[in-house]
Amino acid sequence: MSTKVVQALYNDDDILMDAVKKVKAEHHHIEEIYCPFPVHGLDKAMGLAPTRIAITSFMYGCLGLTVAIVMMNFIMIQDWPQDIGGKPSFSYLQNMPAFVPVMFEMTVFFAAHLMVITFYMRSKLWPFKKAENPDVRTTDDHFLMEVAVHGNEDEVTALLEGTGAVEVKISEKH
């Protein structure tokens, strides 16, 4: 389904932040904002929900810790016990202090790699994916805000022109 959006182009992030606050105060829905760099506080100004990537990172870290414990118990205790430096290999608990670095590294490894994969899947950034930004200037030095319109193009256009946009146009959102 294709809908119309008003695209406003800004050349300063402070002007963009003020514009977002004015648009939200007028109760218009902001579809998307394209920025060349992260703008601090933009997510809160847009009213976006907080991210849950930290929760998934914790779960991935727990998975890495579990894999490390099971792997070391099987390799070093059950499958091929070895006498390394006179240390007994009768139980996992007797050798656990030597296994702490491996447990830490596997926890970090799993959390970092799986979190990156999750981020790319959630944001739909596949290899060889075509760029979706509507204006190439948003990758250099401009900011673009798309506001949904439902028969009120003139009102939204006038509002965005009054917020300091350098260019305002109406286009189709796919």
Side-chain angles (χ1 to χ4, degrees):
M1 184 172 123
S2 181
T3 59
K4 284 188 177 181
V5 292
V6 176
Q7 296 177 342
L9 204 63
Y10 298 90
N11 58 4
D12 186 56
D13 57 335
D14 293 328
I15 297 171
L16 172 73
M17 285 294 288
D18 292 337
V20 167
K21 291 173 185 172
K22 288 177 185 173
V23 168
K24 292 305 273 184
E26 293 290 326
H27 304 291
H28 294 290
H29 176 67
I30 298 174
E31 288 287 329
E32 188 66 73
I33 295 181
Y34 298 90
C35 301
F37 55 83
V39 178
H40 180 70
L42 187 60
D43 53 342
K44 285 187 178 31
M46 288 179 64
L48 297 177
T51 180
R52 296 184 301 254
I53 196 89
I55 297 168
T56 59
S57 177
F58 177 75
M59 291 189 304
Y60 294 151
C62 290
L63 176 66
L65 180 64
T66 303
V67 167
I69 290 170
V70 169
M71 177 189 73
M72 288 181 300
N73 184 50
F74 177 74
I75 293 171
M76 297 300 291
I77 306 300
Q78 294 175 0
D79 186 44
W80 195 279
Q82 298 177 25
D83 184 7
I84 300 172
K87 293 180 182 165
S89 56
F90 304 122
S91 73
Y92 181 81
L93 292 176
Q94 288 177 326
N95 291 301
M96 195 170 72
F99 296 155
V100 168
V102 177
M103 292 188 297
F104 173 76
E105 292 299 330
M106 289 290 282
T107 301
V108 172
F109 179 84
F110 270 68
H113 286 80
L114 292 176
M115 192 169 55
V116 167
I117 292 168
T118 301
F119 171 76
Y120 283 139
M121 289 176 63
R122 262 315 262 152
S123 57
K124 298 178 182 147
L125 290 174
W126 313 113
F128 311 110
K129 182 179 183 209
K130 185 177 178 278
E132 293 180 359
N133 57 336
D135 194 323
V136 72
R137 292 176 286 182
T138 60
T139 62
D140 187 23
D141 62 348
H142 282 72
F143 305 85
L144 188 133
M145 177 174 21
E146 290 184 340
V147 180
V149 292
H150 305 289
N152 57 350
E153 290 96 353
D154 297 333
E155 175 191 344
V156 174
T157 303
L159 172 67
L160 292 174
E161 286 172 350
T163 61
V166 293
E167 184 180 320
V168 177
K169 65 180 179 179
I170 298 172
S171 68
E172 293 291 323
K173 175 81 173 178
H174 299 288

